[in-house]
């Protein structure tokens, strides 16, 4: 089965507690039945547009060879950089053993400083997706439960990046484990890490918790600015239930004045107004429009 929802993994600085824009991480999902479009790579991506057709050409590719060639074209400057990154992520989904070895060699070249990229591009952008390719092969050998345990052991120390985060989001049982750890965390930093990692999972089991976090972040000892993590996660789940939950949580947040702090304003607009704009930018439509379509 071809999984259309895809994550483009770029380089992360820090421990995955910074805002999405700062961590340069992009999620893309298009054409997946029962789920809303989602893209942080495009502005209001919609099916049928030239940009959407290019995305689908990569995410629906079932063979590793063409994807690897797209990546090399991006590195050589003859192809689109973002499409090369998207191709690597699709390769991770395919779990091709031969190309996992190629990915490991390419990662080693980048880490050794022996790979040149087009002007204005950073070869290290490729590292998380290359790491994801290797981890997906490890997943095929070890199984989800073993790999999940190993990756979650990295979270308290922050010794993980976007490749690990992406794979965690795909593992069976990850959502339940992340929710439990989020609720048990006594300090802010690990709490935000677990909430952020939930944003990589499309498991609908997290919908009730995420809706509660968005409506009332202070109830979880979270500064209000981190409420957007719950919004992002609900949008990434992208089902009718998750979008309805987000719409209801927004109404509760407005009634509770959860985001009334003037310091949360940006560009002359309050937090909820900016979050509304982000919904349309990332999904191409407002929540009520999606509820009619899903």
């Amino acid at each position: 089965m071809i999984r259309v929802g895809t994550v483009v993994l770029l380089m992360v600085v820090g421990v995955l507690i910074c805002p999405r824009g700062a961590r340069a991480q992009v999620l893309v999902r298009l054409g997946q039945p029962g789920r809303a479009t989602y893209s942080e790579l495009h502005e209001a991506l919609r099916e049928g547009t030239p940009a959407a057709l290019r995305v689908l050409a990569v995410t629906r590719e079932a063979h590793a060879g063409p994807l690897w060639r797209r990546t090399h074209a991006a590195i050589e400057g003859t192809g689109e950089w973002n499409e090369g990154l998207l191709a690597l992520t699709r390769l991770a989904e395919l779990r091709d053993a031969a190309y996992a070895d190629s990915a490991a060699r390419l990662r080693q070249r980048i880490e050794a400083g022996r790979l040149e990229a087009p002007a204005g591009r950073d070869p290290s952008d490729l590292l998380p997706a290359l790491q994801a390719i290797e981890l997906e092969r490890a997943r095929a050998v070890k199984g989800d439960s073993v790999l999940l345990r190993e990756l979650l052991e990295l979270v308290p120390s922050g010794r993980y990046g976007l490749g690990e985060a992406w794979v965690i989001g795909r593992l069976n049982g990850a959502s339940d484990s992340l929710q439990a750890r989020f609720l048990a965390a006594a300090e802010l930093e690990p709490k935000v890490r677990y909430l952020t990692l939930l944003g990589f999972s499309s498991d609908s089991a997290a919908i009730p918790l995420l809706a509660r976090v968005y409506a009332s972040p202070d109830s979880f000892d979270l500064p209000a600015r981190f409420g957007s993590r719950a919004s992002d996660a609900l949008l990434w789940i992208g089902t009718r239930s998750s979008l309805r939950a987000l719409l209801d949580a927004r109404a509760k947040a407005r009634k509770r004045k959860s985001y009334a702090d003037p310091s949360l304003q940006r560009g002359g607009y309050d937090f909820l107004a900016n979050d509304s704009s982000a919904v349309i930018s990332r999904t191409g439509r407002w929540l009520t429009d999606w509820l009619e379509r899903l």
Side-chain angles (χ1 to χ4, degrees):
M1 178 180 293
I2 298 174
R3 183 174 179 268
V4 179
T6 298
V7 184
V8 183
L9 302 168
L10 307 187
M11 194 60 181
V12 65
V13 178
V15 290
L16 290 179
I17 65 170
C18 50
R20 278 201 168 164
R23 78 187 198 206
Q25 178 268 326
V26 183
L27 300 173
V28 179
R29 177 181 56 236
L30 180 66
Q32 188 170 332
R35 295 189 187 259
T37 296
Y38 187 103
S39 178
E40 293 177 343
L41 186 61
H42 309 83
E43 178 69 25
L45 182 66
R46 290 200 178 193
E47 292 187 43
T49 63
L53 294 175
R54 289 194 297 271
V55 168
L56 290 176
V58 177
T59 58
R60 289 178 172 171
E61 177 58 65
H63 301 287
L67 294 167
W68 192 247
R69 289 193 291 273
R70 279 183 182 270
T71 298
H72 272 278
I75 293 171
E76 294 165 1
T78 59
E80 290 291 331
W81 186 253
N82 286 336
E83 289 182 15
L85 291 165
L86 189 59
L88 281 179
T89 303
R90 179 64 183 141
L91 269 171
E93 294 175 343
L94 294 180
R95 296 188 189 176
D96 187 289
Y99 284 92
D101 293 338
S102 298
R105 290 192 293 270
L106 181 57
R107 175 179 56 79
Q108 291 164 4
R109 287 179 60 196
I110 294 171
E111 291 175 342
R114 293 187 287 105
L115 183 73
E116 293 186 3
R121 301 299 186 181
D122 186 348
S124 64
D125 287 351
L126 305 174
L127 288 174
L130 293 169
Q131 177 70 5
I133 291 173
E134 296 180 60
L135 286 171
E136 279 293 329
R137 284 299 302 161
R139 177 187 180 190
V141 174
K142 297 179 179 181
D144 282 25
S145 60
V146 172
L147 186 59
L148 178 60
R149 183 174 66 251
E150 292 177 355
L151 293 178
L152 288 177
E153 288 174 354
L154 303 175
V155 177
S157 64
R159 294 183 296 106
Y160 64 100
L162 288 172
E164 289 87 352
W166 181 76
V167 173
I168 288 173
R170 290 167 53 84
L171 296 174
N172 292 321
S175 179
D176 290 341
S177 295
L178 292 170
Q179 290 181 71
R181 284 165 171 76
F182 168 78
L183 292 170
E187 298 180 357
L188 177 61
E189 190 168 290
K191 190 184 293 287
V192 174
R193 286 177 184 160
Y194 291 122
L195 178 60
T196 303
L197 286 168
L198 276 170
F200 288 85
S201 172
S202 59
D203 191 337
S204 60
I207 292 174
L209 175 61
L210 292 168
R212 287 164 49 210
V213 171
Y214 187 79
S216 180
D218 60 312
S219 298
F220 297 88
D221 296 322
L222 281 172
R225 67 182 183 276
F226 291 116
S228 61
R229 304 299 174 90
S231 174
D232 291 339
L234 288 166
L235 289 175
W236 178 241
I237 293 171
T239 62
R240 180 179 176 82
S241 295
S242 73
L243 300 186
R244 167 53 66 185
L246 177 55
L247 195 62
D248 292 344
R250 286 175 54 85
K252 292 177 182 177
R254 188 172 295 282
K255 184 176 181 180
R256 293 186 74 258
K257 299 183 178 180
S258 299
Y259 301 102
D261 185 344
S263 68
L264 298 174
Q265 295 182 4
R266 296 291 183 273
Y269 296 95
D270 67 16
F271 180 95
L272 289 174
N274 280 302
D275 198 54
S276 299
S277 178
V279 169
I280 297 172
S281 176
R282 290 171 182 169
T283 72
R285 305 179 189 279
W286 178 237
L287 296 171
T288 52
D289 194 353
W290 279 114
L291 290 175
E292 293 176 358
R293 293 169 178 270
L294 293 174

